[in-house]
Amino acid sequence: MADYEAQIEHNILEHEEEEPSANTTRRAVLQAAIGVGVAGTVLSTLYVGAGLVPKKVFTPENEPLAAGDILVYAQGPNQNKPINPADLKVDVLQIIAYPMNPKTNVVKGSDPNNTVLIVKIQPSRLTPATAKGAVDGIVAYSGVCKHLGCIVSNWDPNLEQFVCPCHQGHYDPANSGKVMSGPPPKPIPQLPIKIENNQIIAMAFFLAPPGVNA
Amino acid sequence: MYQWLDERLDITRFNNKVLRKAFPVHHTFFLGEITLFAFVVLVLTGIFLTFNYEPSTRLIKVAGYTDPVQAAYASILYIDSLPFGAVIRSVHHWSAHIMIAAAFLHLLRILLSGAYKKPRELNWIIGMLMLVTSIVVAFTGYALPYDNYAVTATRIGHGIAQSVPWVGVAVAQIMFGGDFPGSDHSIPRLFSLHVLWLPLALMGLIGAHLLIMVKQKHTQPKYAEKVAPGKILGVPLFPQQAVMSGVLFLVYVAVVTLIAGGFLAHPVEAYGPLSANTPAVKPDWYFLWIYGLLKIIPSHWEFTIPLFNGGKFGPEFWGGVLIPSILLVGGLLIPFFSVTKDGQKQRYLELPSQKPVRTSLTIAGLMFLIMGTLAGYIGDSGMEWLTIPVAWTLLIVAPIVTYFVCYIIMRAIWGKTWPQEPQIEFIGGAKGSAADD
Ligand code: HEM
Ligand code: FES
C-alpha cells in the first residue's frame, strides 16, 4: 500500500519535473473545459427552465372583461343573472359581479381579475372624476385587492368604504377607489358603467389594469 | 446463527460501533425526535391521502351542491366520508403543526444551549433549512383541499411571491403553475411539490442531519461534565435508547390520534368551495407574524428601480420576503459569530443563564415574533385598542424591554448558581478527547 502510494508520488514528481509548462497548459485546457461545461449547462437549464412557466390557455370563460359586457351576480341565488340596478340600495354591502359576454352569454368568471364590485352611494358624494363612470350613484370597481390579490368583499357601513378582509385595506368608492387605510399600494381601478334595459353594462375596460402586479 | 451472520456481516463490529453508541439523556433532547416522528406520521398518513385525493380543479357535480365544485375539493369530501378518513386527514394536519412547532423548539434548545458551535455548524445550517422546507411543504399542502379558506390563504402567498423585485412574477408562475387561483396547472404543481419533491428533499436533509449527529456525537448536559469529565455519558442506542424512542413514537401517535379524533382539522365543508367572497382568513400560527407585519407596513413605503422593467420594492416585499429572509440569514450566520474560545470543540451544553446576552437576545427575538403575531389581530372585533401605531410601538419597544429584563434576571441567576465561570473546555485535559475518536 505505502509502496504503491510512494510510487504514484514519485511518478507525479517526475512528471512535474519533466514538463512544468506542459502541465500548466494541460491545467488551463482542463479549466477552460470545465468552465465552458458549467456555463453551457447553466445557460441550457435557464433555457429549458422557461418551459416551467405555464402557458396561459384562453377559454371563453377567462377572456378579459370587454366594453359592452353585462355585469352578472358572481354568486348567490341569482348567480349568473344580470344585476338589476333597481335592486341596489344606497350604502349597503357591494355586490360581487362577473362580466358576461352579451353575444355568447358566457360568464367570464374563471379569471379572478374579472371580478367587479358594484355598490350604490349617495350621488352627491361622488367626486367629479368618479361620477363620470357612475350612474345614479352606482359605481363599479375591480374586485382584486391591490395588496395581495384577495377579493375586496367587505363593506364598512360607518366609513362607507370597501374593506379587504385579508389585511384590512380600505378603499373609497366615492373617490376613484382611493386607498384610505391599510397596506394596499394603489387604488382599485374603476370600471365605467352605463345602464341599459335594466342591466349594468361595462362602458370600457377598467380605468387602470386590475390585479396585484399592475 | 449469530456467528454465521457475524462472519459474513461483521455484526459485532456494527454492534460495538453503532448500536452501543452512547446517547445522552435529557428531556429537551426529545424535541428533535418528536420532529422526526411527526414527519414519519406525515408520510404515512400522506400516503393514505394521495390514494384518495384528486389533484385537479376540473369541475364536477357532487351531491349536496347545486353548482359543480372542483375535483380537489370533492375528493376531500370523499376522504372525510371514508371510515376514519377525517381522522387520518386530521392526523396529517395536526402532525404538520406539531412538526413545525417541535422543529422550532428544537432549534431554540440548540440556540439556548450553545450546541450550534464548532463542530456542529453544519447541522445548525441543515436544521434551519429543514425548518424552512417544512414550512414550505405545509404551505404547498394548504392549498390542496381547494376550499374557499385555503384558496384565499394561498392566494396571499402567491401575491407575496410576486412581490419580489424582478424575478417574483416568474417565480410565482413556476411555483403556482400560473395565476393562482385561475390556472388549471396550479393544483397539480403544488401537489407534486407537496407530496414528492419537497418531502424527498426533507428526507435527504434529515438523513444528512442524523449522520452528522452520529459522527459528531451529542453535546452533553452539564451534569456529565461533573460526573465523568471527558467521557460521553449516556445510554446505548440499542436497546435502551431505541426502546425510549419507540415508546415516545407510540405515545406521539396515540396523542396525535386523540387530538385528531376530537378536533377535525380544516373543516372544508364549513368553508365551502371556492367563491367570490373572501372569508376572513388568518394563516396558520407560524405565518401570523409575517401576516401581522403585512398589516402594519404602510403602503407608501415603496420605490422602484426602473431597470429591466419591474424593480418594484413594495410593502409586501418588505414584510413578506425581506424581513423573514433577514432573520433566516441572520440565523444561519449565528454559529460563525458566536464561537467557542480559541476554536475549541463544544462538548458540553451551556446553561442559558451562563450566556445572558445570547439568552436575552433570543427571548427578545421571540418577543418580536409574538408582537408581530399580535399585529395580525389588528381589525378583529374586541381588538379595537390595537391600532397600527400601537402595534408598531409594541413591535419595537417590547423586544427591547424584554432584552433588558431578561438580562437582569439571567445575571441574577448566574451569580447564584455559578459563583464563577466554570471551566468547560479543559476538563479532562485531553486535546483530541474521547469524543472525537
Ligand atoms: C413533510 C411534511 C408535510 C407537511 C408539513 C404537510 C402539511 C400538509 C398540510 C398543512 C395539508 C393541508 C391539510 C388540510 O388542511 O386538510 C396537507 C395536505 C395534504 N398532504 Fe401533506 N404534509 C407533509 C407531507 C406529506 C406527504 C409526505 C404526503 C404524501 C406522501 C402528503 C400528502 C398530502 C395530501 C394528499 C394532502 C391533501 C389532502 C388534505 O388536504 O387533507 N403530505 N399537508
Ligand atoms: S390582500 Fe387586501 S389588504 Fe392585503
Side-chain angles (χ1 to χ4, degrees), chain A residues 65-66 69-72 97-101 106-109 114-116:
Chain A
L65 178 149
D69 284 355
I70 301 168
L71 295 174
V72 301
Y98 288 138
M100 180 172 84
N101 186 324
V106 170
V107 176
K108 305 181 195 169
N114 283 347
T115 315
V116 178

Side-chain angles (χ1 to χ4, degrees), chain B residues 343-411:
Chain B
Q344 296 274 337
K345 287 191 178 173
Q346 182 87 331
R347 299 188 36 216
Y348 294 101
L349 296 176
E350 291 157 354
L351 288 175
S353 58
Q354 186 184 343
K355 301 277 167 181
V357 173
R358 181 181 66 206
T359 304
S360 310
L361 279 177
T362 308
I363 309 280
L366 281 181
M367 189 49 96
F368 176 81
L369 297 181
I370 292 173
M371 288 301 133
T373 303
L374 184 69
Y377 289 88
I378 290 179
D380 282 17
S381 58
M383 300 293 281
E384 284 75 17
W385 59 273
L386 188 66
T387 57
I388 291 177
V390 172
W392 268 113
T393 318
L394 285 173
L395 189 73
I396 293 167
V397 175
I400 298 178
V401 172
T402 309
Y403 176 83
F404 286 107
V405 171
C406 185
Y407 185 83
I408 292 167
I409 296 177
M410 286 301 137
R411 273 283 167 204

